């Protein structure tokens, strides 16, 4: 029997982990906020960063659960749909008449204060023709006209009409606008262990190794709850340096204080509660019933706690 089952085909797991990846990327940016910055989640883009010089970084995030034969996330290929769709989305944003950017001058003004980042857990690929061409353009070893010629050539080689449409969006930009866009476009690939990046960001704030997880779990939980409440109230998730410091600094201060932490650990219960001598005795004298599992569990927990086990 081959192929994927109906359950596998309609599973939302891939989409769910994509949302989690986006959230933890956002959380890591929060942990690295600088004075005067604001980080937003699904406001101007998947994630965006507002800088004090009135410029913005727009971040598109793409996650894959597909892996190579070596077990690593697959490469970002030349004709990757995620790659071209992201670039197409930004090209449409640049010329969006609804935001007053129907004219070239307004598009150039927008690009003067906006940069773009595609971040993904997909691996870097030294055979990706588009990334190679963009890198050569940004290093000034290739002209913008040559970059456009490369993109035109890639469209001619593609048989995917959807990707051809994405490439058309890129090629339709005014030459000056296109040149400025590619100057402001960058990539962050291989960002797979995003939660470990969050932990590393906490460690860089002079938090002892033994307290990193305490800070991470506390901030993660609170940011999630506050984000939910913010969206529920019909507001946008955008957090400034000052707001983050005010709401979450106490978790860092507590970790640095050196005071003892009191953690509650659930007791490890025996596999069979009825095998315990004191439970058998209580059943024998009909003080409790044999099938009263709730009482068995509660009484066993108390016994373990009293004995310091």
């Amino acid at each position: 029997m081959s192929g994927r089952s109906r359950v596998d085909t309609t599973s939302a797991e891939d989409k769910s982990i994509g949302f989690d990846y986006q959230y933890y990327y956002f959380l890591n940016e929060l942990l690295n906020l600088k004075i005067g910055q604001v980080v937003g989640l699904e406001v101007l883009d998947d994630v965006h960063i507002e800088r004090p010089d009135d410029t913005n970084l727009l971040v598109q995030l793409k996650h894959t659960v597909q892996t190579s034969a070596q077990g690593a996330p697959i490469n970002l290929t030349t004709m990757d749909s995620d790659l071209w769709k992201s670039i197409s989305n930004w090209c449409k944003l640049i010329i969006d008449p609804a935001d007053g950017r129907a004219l070239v001058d307004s598009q150039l003004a927008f690009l003067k204060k906006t940069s773009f980042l595609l971040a993904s857990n997909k691996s870097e690929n030294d055979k990706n023709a588009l990334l190679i061409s963009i890198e050569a353009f940004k290093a000034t070893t290739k002209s913008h006209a040559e970059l456009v010629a490369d993109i035109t050539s890639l469209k001619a080689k593609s048989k995917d009409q959807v990707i051809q449409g994405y490439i058309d969006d890129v090629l339709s930009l005014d030459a000056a606008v296109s040149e400025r866009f590619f100057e402001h476009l960058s990539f962050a690939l291989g960002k797979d262990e995003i939660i470990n990046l969050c932990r590393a960001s906490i460690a860089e704030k002079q938090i002892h190794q033994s307290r990193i997880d305490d800070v991470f779990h506390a901030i993660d939980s609170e940011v999630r709850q506050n984000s939910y409440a913010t969206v529920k109230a019909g507001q946008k998730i955008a957090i400034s340096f000052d707001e983050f410091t005010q709401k979450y600094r106490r978790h860092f201060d507590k970790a640095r204080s050196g005071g003892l932490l009191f953690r509650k650990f659930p007791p490890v219960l025996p596999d069979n509660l009825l095998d315990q001598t004191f439970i058998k005795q209580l059943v024998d004298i009909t003080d409790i019933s044999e099938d009263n599992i709730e009482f068995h569990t509660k009484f066993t927990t108390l016994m373990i706690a009293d004995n310091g086990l």
Side-chain angles (χ1 to χ4, degrees):
M1 185 175 181
S2 61
R4 301 179 71 191
S5 70
R6 179 66 179 171
V7 172
D8 289 337
T9 303
T10 58
S11 172
E13 289 179 357
D14 291 2
K15 184 177 291 186
S16 175
I17 196 172
F19 286 137
D20 287 338
Y21 184 76
Q22 179 176 306
Y23 163 77
Y24 281 114
Y25 187 96
F26 165 72
L27 181 62
N28 190 52
E29 292 299 330
L30 280 179
L31 292 167
N32 288 283
L33 269 173
K34 303 294 188 296
I35 293 175
Q37 289 185 342
V38 175
V39 175
L41 177 64
E42 293 189 333
V43 181
L44 301 181
D45 215 319
D46 290 342
V47 172
H48 82 273
I49 301 171
E50 300 171 32
R51 303 180 179 113
D53 62 357
D54 199 34
T55 62
N56 295 327
L57 173 64
L58 306 185
V59 184
Q60 291 253 327
L61 295 154
K62 301 298 180 184
H63 185 277
T64 183
V65 294
Q66 294 179 280
T67 57
S68 65
Q70 292 72 38
I74 59 173
N75 290 337
L76 186 73
T77 61
T78 301
M79 289 301 174
D80 193 303
S81 180
D82 283 343
L83 170 61
W84 288 105
K85 184 177 182 180
S86 293
I87 295 176
S88 168
N89 286 340
W90 283 322
C91 290
K92 290 176 180 177
L93 176 68
I94 292 167
I95 64 172
D96 189 359
D99 281 333
R101 291 191 291 274
L103 301 178
V104 169
D105 285 347
S106 59
Q107 295 164 16
L108 290 172
F110 175 72
L111 286 169
K112 187 176 182 179
K113 63 177 184 178
T114 309
S115 53
F116 310 87
L117 175 68
L118 175 59
S120 176
N121 72 322
K122 291 184 179 181
S123 302
E124 294 189 44
N125 182 4
D126 58 8
K127 296 180 180 179
N128 188 314
L130 177 64
L131 299 190
I132 292 170
S133 189
I134 292 174
E135 184 178 347
F137 163 71
K138 297 183 75 170
T140 69
T141 58
K142 179 171 286 192
S143 69
H144 176 257
E146 290 173 319
L147 170 59
V148 172
D150 288 345
I151 295 174
T152 303
S153 176
L154 291 174
K155 180 194 171 185
K157 295 176 182 177
S158 175
K159 296 180 180 179
D160 188 317
Q161 292 185 348
V162 173
I163 291 180
Q164 287 178 349
Y166 292 152
I167 297 176
D168 281 336
D169 293 331
V170 181
L171 296 174
S172 67
L173 290 178
D174 172 85
V177 172
S178 175
E179 184 170 9
R180 184 67 58 83
F181 168 63
F182 282 109
E183 288 173 349
H184 289 199
L185 174 63
S186 56
F187 301 88
L189 303 178
K191 301 293 184 181
D192 192 39
E193 300 296 334
I194 192 67
I195 293 179
N196 285 343
L197 288 177
C198 292
R199 290 191 170 100
S201 296
I202 292 171
E204 289 171 357
K205 296 184 182 299
Q206 288 75 50
I207 299 300
H208 191 273
Q209 186 70 29
S210 64
R211 295 293 184 89
I212 290 174
D213 277 348
D214 295 315
V215 176
F216 171 75
H217 291 307
I219 292 179
D220 179 24
S221 175
E222 195 167 338
V223 169
R224 280 188 182 274
Q225 291 181 57
N226 290 342
S227 296
Y228 174 80
T230 298
V231 174
K232 187 178 180 181
Q235 300 172 350
K236 303 292 186 182
I237 302 174
I239 303 176
S240 68
F241 174 86
D242 290 340
E243 183 181 359
F244 183 79
T245 301
Q246 180 181 11
K247 286 186 175 181
Y248 306 103
R249 183 178 62 189
R250 69 183 186 279
H251 298 302
F252 295 97
D253 291 343
K254 183 178 179 180
R256 295 191 192 101
S257 69
L260 292 175
L261 292 180
F262 295 92
R263 301 185 178 96
K264 292 183 178 180
F265 296 98
V268 179
L269 299 177
D271 292 334
N272 192 335
L273 299 177
L274 282 170
D275 282 346
Q276 299 174 100
T277 301
F278 74 94
I279 293 290
K280 289 179 179 179
Q281 292 171 340
L282 291 173
V283 171
D284 288 342
I285 63 174
T286 67
D287 195 41
I288 60 173
S289 63
E290 188 172 347
D291 60 356
N292 192 345
I293 302 302
E294 183 179 352
F295 180 87
H296 301 170
T297 302
K298 183 177 180 180
F299 203 54
T300 301
T301 301
L302 291 172
M303 288 286 289
I304 293 173
D306 288 344
N307 287 294
L309 300 176

